[in-house]
């Protein structure tokens, strides 16, 4: 079989740029086209300067039926609400879709009205969509037509929580998640919040209650718990460009020892190519830190037991643009196309940055 072709809708954004970087070095697929209306006709390195000399691709803006002829699998790196019609039309043409927006992450259409104040235009597709988290849904992803990559902060939170909730080590409520995120999480479009004098040096809580990622976290962790989970989630914008650290406070169902928690993580993530357990009090980087993950597809998870408060505090770190978006999407693509799961994704983070 020749090289498989893929297309990228939304290639001028930060996620689109990271998809391009990873796919250009992948070796098993060719990027047939990459879209942008704003930069149509321009070489991709004019927007993504790190790609200069690596490709002759130019941004284009094909109509969907025309684009559907050019590839077998399509990434949608578009804003929430914009992806759904693209996905519906591509699926109708018999194509496979990996969507990075929130449009197909939730199973229940009514949840979109509650969390996104948006009436889902294709609720029937929600049943078909598979959440793109290989650690939880690997076999379903292999056969899926439509994969919905989870949100970046949700990815870190779900991976940190899933083993200890599914094995009943912590209560389903309360679970408190304090997330820190870098500025690239907001995308490439200029905003006042992201303007350098306003963004530089901040530790700024935002959407302290009611953040949309709560719905995804409760959906996935709740299914692991076989019951309702209530998550209290507050993100903070911090002074990084990339990276997420979720500090998760959960409460023990019984008196736990370190070995109980180790066992839960080891059993859940044994053989996982991109989950690493990091808990070594003897070294400087003995707990997860997103700084050492920049550019990599790893999720680093660590924990401490708090005897005083009967708490389990979990630390889960990722690069929001890689395991939180483009890298995870390519991991899903590898599964869908029958490629080696970690193909194109093996580079470690850069240290020091
Ligand atoms: N940033 C992250 O850390 C992150 C992590 C996980 C998931 N995500 C999700 O991934 C998606 C992309 O995020 P991003 O950060 O890359 O955003 P971004 O930097 O703002 O880029 C958005 C892209 O979508 C295109 N676009 C905008 N409106 C469109 C429309 N109506 N129709 C077609 N194309 C349109 C833009 O192209 P033009 O050049 O034509 O304007 C641009 O290429 C979003 O849904 C985001 O929530 C982001």
């Amino acid at each position: 079989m020749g090289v498989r072709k893929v297309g990228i809708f939304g290639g001028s954004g930060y996620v689109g740029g990271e998809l391009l970087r990873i796919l250009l070095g992948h070796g098993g697929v060719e990027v047939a086209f990459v879209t942008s209306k704003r930069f149509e006709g321009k070489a991709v390195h004019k927007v993504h300067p790190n790609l200069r000399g690596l490709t002759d691709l130019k941004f284009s803006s094909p109509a969907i039926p025309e684009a559907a002829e050019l590839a077998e699998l399509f990434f949608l790196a578009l804003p929430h609400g914009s992806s759904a019609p693209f996905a519906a039309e591509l699926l109708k043409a018999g194509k496979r879709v990996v969507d990075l927006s929130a449009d197909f992450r939730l199973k229940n259409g009514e949840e979109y009205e509650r969390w996104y104040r948006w009436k889902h235009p294709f609720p029937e597709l929600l049943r078909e969509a598979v959440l793109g988290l290989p650690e939880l849904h690997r076999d379903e992803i292999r056969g899926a037509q439509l994969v919905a990559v989870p949100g970046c902060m949700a990815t870190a939170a779900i991976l940190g929580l899933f083993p200890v909730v599914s094995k009943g080590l912590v209560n389903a409520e309360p679970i408190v998640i304090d997330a820190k995120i870098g500025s690239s999480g907001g995308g490439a479009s200029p905003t006042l919040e992201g303007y350098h004098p306003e963004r530089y040096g901040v530790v700024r809580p935002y959407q302290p209650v009611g953040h949309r990622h709560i719905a995804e976290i409760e959906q996935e962790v709740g299914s692991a718990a076989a019951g309702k989970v209530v998550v209290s989630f507050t993100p903070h914008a911090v002074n990084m460009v990339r990276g997420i650290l979720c500090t998760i406070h959960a409460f023990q169902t019984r008196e736990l020892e370190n070995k109980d928690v180790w066992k839960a993580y080891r059993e859940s993530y044994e053989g996982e190519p991109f989950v690493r357990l990091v808990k070594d009090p003897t070294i400087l980087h003995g707990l997860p830190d997103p700084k050492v993950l920049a550019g990599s597809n790893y999720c680093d998870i660590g924990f401490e037991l708090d005897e005083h408060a009967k708490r389990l505090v979990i630390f889960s770190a990722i690069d929001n643009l890689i395991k939180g978006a483009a890298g995870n999407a390519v991991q899903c693509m590898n599964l869908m196309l029958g490629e080696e799961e970690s193909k194109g994704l093996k580079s470690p983070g850069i240290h020091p940055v």
Side-chain angles (χ1 to χ4, degrees):
M1 191 184 291
V3 176
R4 325 277 297 261
K5 294 206 172 154
V6 301
I8 302 173
F9 286 95
S12 63
Y14 286 147
V15 172
E18 284 299 71
L19 278 170
L20 269 169
R21 182 177 67 83
I22 295 168
L23 293 170
L24 290 174
H26 185 277
V29 294
E30 182 186 324
V31 180
F33 69 89
V34 50
T35 75
S36 165
K37 278 206 164 66
R38 269 180 306 159
F39 300 103
E40 190 174 355
K42 294 215 166 20
V44 297
H45 75 258
K46 299 214 166 161
V47 174
H48 305 301
N50 54 332
L51 304 181
R52 184 185 291 272
L54 299 181
T55 176
D56 296 331
L57 271 172
K58 290 186 169 145
F59 292 109
S60 61
S61 186
I64 305 176
E66 185 194 320
E69 297 295 316
L70 302 176
E72 62 176 292
L73 183 145
F74 300 83
F75 295 94
L76 305 180
L78 307 173
H80 306 316
S82 305
S83 272
F86 282 78
E89 204 165 332
L90 290 165
L91 291 170
K92 217 192 247 172
K95 301 296 176 167
R96 302 177 90 184
V97 173
V98 178
D99 180 29
L100 288 116
S101 83
D103 290 3
F104 297 99
R105 293 175 193 159
L106 303 180
K107 288 281 155 215
N108 180 346
E110 285 166 19
E111 292 283 286
Y112 279 98
E113 291 175 41
R114 175 176 171 203
W115 294 96
Y116 289 81
R117 305 199 186 290
W118 180 60
K119 191 160 174 52
H120 203 291
F122 306 101
E124 67 285 359
L125 292 179
L126 297 175
R127 277 192 295 280
E128 189 181 325
V130 173
L131 195 81
L133 202 49
E135 292 77 7
L136 271 65
H137 299 291
R138 180 167 283 111
D139 289 340
E140 296 161 81
I141 292 168
R142 283 198 175 95
Q145 286 295 119
L146 172 57
V147 165
V149 175
C152 48
M153 291 185 285
T155 297
I158 295 165
L159 290 175
L161 273 169
F162 170 79
V164 293
V165 172
S166 64
K167 294 183 190 300
L169 301 192
V170 296
N171 295 320
E173 147 176 34
I175 292 173
V176 179
I177 305 172
D178 172 319
K180 318 271 189 318
I181 184 164
S183 55
S184 61
S189 299
T191 59
L192 178 58
E193 302 83 56
Y195 182 52
H196 184 265
E198 299 294 345
R199 186 62 172 71
Y200 177 75
V202 298
V203 184
R204 179 196 293 149
Y206 69 97
Q207 288 181 45
V209 297
H211 193 281
R212 293 161 164 185
H213 285 189
I214 293 168
E216 294 167 42
I217 301 168
E218 290 187 348
Q219 172 181 286
E220 293 301 301
V221 179
S223 66
K228 194 168 158 51
V229 162
V230 178
V231 157
S232 305
F233 178 86
T234 299
H236 302 76
V238 297
N239 199 30
M240 310 186 286
V241 172
R242 283 172 185 250
I244 292 171
L245 179 70
C246 281
T247 302
I248 306 172
H249 309 272
F251 293 87
Q252 305 171 24
T253 48
R254 61 185 165 84
E255 200 150 316
L256 296 176
E257 295 180 41
N258 273 313
K259 66 177 171 45
D260 301 320
V261 187
W262 272 115
K263 187 163 176 266
Y265 282 111
R266 284 217 179 95
E267 282 178 2
S268 297
Y269 294 141
E270 191 170 6
E272 282 301 337
F274 295 113
V275 179
R276 303 188 295 199
L277 301 182
V278 181
K279 178 172 161 52
D280 183 352
T282 65
I283 57 171
L284 172 61
H285 299 286
L287 284 170
D289 179 350
K291 184 162 145 60
V292 302
L293 298 175
S296 95
N297 197 45
Y298 287 101
C299 174
D300 282 356
I301 298 175
F303 68 89
E304 285 295 343
L305 281 168
D306 176 0
E307 276 179 38
H308 171 70
K310 305 289 172 250
R311 180 174 61 123
L312 170 64
V313 55
I314 302 157
F315 307 95
S316 180
I318 59 171
D319 180 332
N320 54 295
L321 291 174
I322 311 294
K323 186 60 179 166
N328 200 28
V330 172
Q331 195 180 342
C332 293
M333 177 202 79
N334 286 338
L335 289 166
M336 294 164 82
L337 298 184
E339 296 277 0
E340 185 206 342
E341 186 172 338
S342 52
K343 195 170 170 120
L345 296 168
K346 287 177 187 151
S347 71
I350 295 168
H351 175 75
V353 195

